[in-house]
Amino acid sequence: MVNNKFKIAAILMIIHGAFMEALTGLTLMPFVLKSGFDCNAIPPFFVIDFFRNNLVFILPMAVIFGITRIFGAIGVLKNRKWGFVLSVINCVLTMNLMLFMIPSGIADGIFACSALILLLTGYYEKESIN
């Protein structure tokens, strides 16, 4: 039986991976391709010009990252340790990348940090540090 904290974390990760990462990447790719890779024709998604200028490469990576997040969440729902580890890696990586993805990084941080807290508190429950 899967812990309730794991279920909530998995739901958060599925929402995050499916809607914020994969679906957004798939939806925006035609606009980037239609603009002829002219990033000035696209509204600014990111504060940092590097990400804005390389949007054509970031969108497929977002889809891959979203799918990976969904796989980790499915592993958590199936009570598999590989799913837990993959999900923790995804959350920690997102915490590092969210600083560079303003303004969308704010929502990334809320989802990833919440899921990470639920995963760790669900896994370690009442274990003490010593």
Side-chain angles (χ1 to χ4, degrees):
M1 176 134 189
V2 178
N3 184 332
N4 279 338
K5 290 181 181 180
F6 288 160
K7 284 183 186 177
I8 296 168
I11 291 168
L12 286 173
M13 290 185 299
I14 289 171
I15 291 169
H16 188 192
F19 297 110
M20 287 191 58
E21 302 276 352
L23 189 63
T24 303
L26 289 172
T27 305
L28 292 176
M29 271 193 246
F31 294 111
V32 172
L33 296 173
K34 185 179 178 185
S35 72
F37 306 109
D38 179 20
C39 294
N40 292 324
I42 301 167
F45 292 110
F46 306 113
V47 173
I48 299 174
D49 286 336
F50 174 79
F51 293 113
R52 182 183 159 130
N53 295 336
N54 292 297
L55 199 57
V56 69
F57 301 113
I58 289 176
L59 293 176
M61 288 188 291
V63 173
I64 293 167
F65 200 53
I67 292 169
T68 305
R69 188 180 306 278
I70 293 168
F71 274 115
I74 291 169
V76 168
L77 287 174
K78 290 186 174 191
N79 206 22
R80 300 290 182 252
K81 196 167 274 195
W82 63 263
F84 174 80
V85 172
L86 180 59
S87 296
V88 168
I89 291 168
N90 273 323
C91 290
V92 170
L93 187 58
T94 301
M95 288 173 61
N96 285 306
L97 293 175
M98 71 182 197
L99 301 171
F100 303 109
M101 302 289 193
I102 299 296
S104 63
I106 296 168
D108 282 339
I110 291 169
F111 277 101
C113 293
S114 300
L116 183 61
I117 289 168
L118 289 166
L119 287 169
L120 293 177
T121 56
Y123 188 80
Y124 289 106
E125 290 286 334
K126 296 179 182 178
E127 287 187 32
S128 62
I129 294 173
N130 53 10

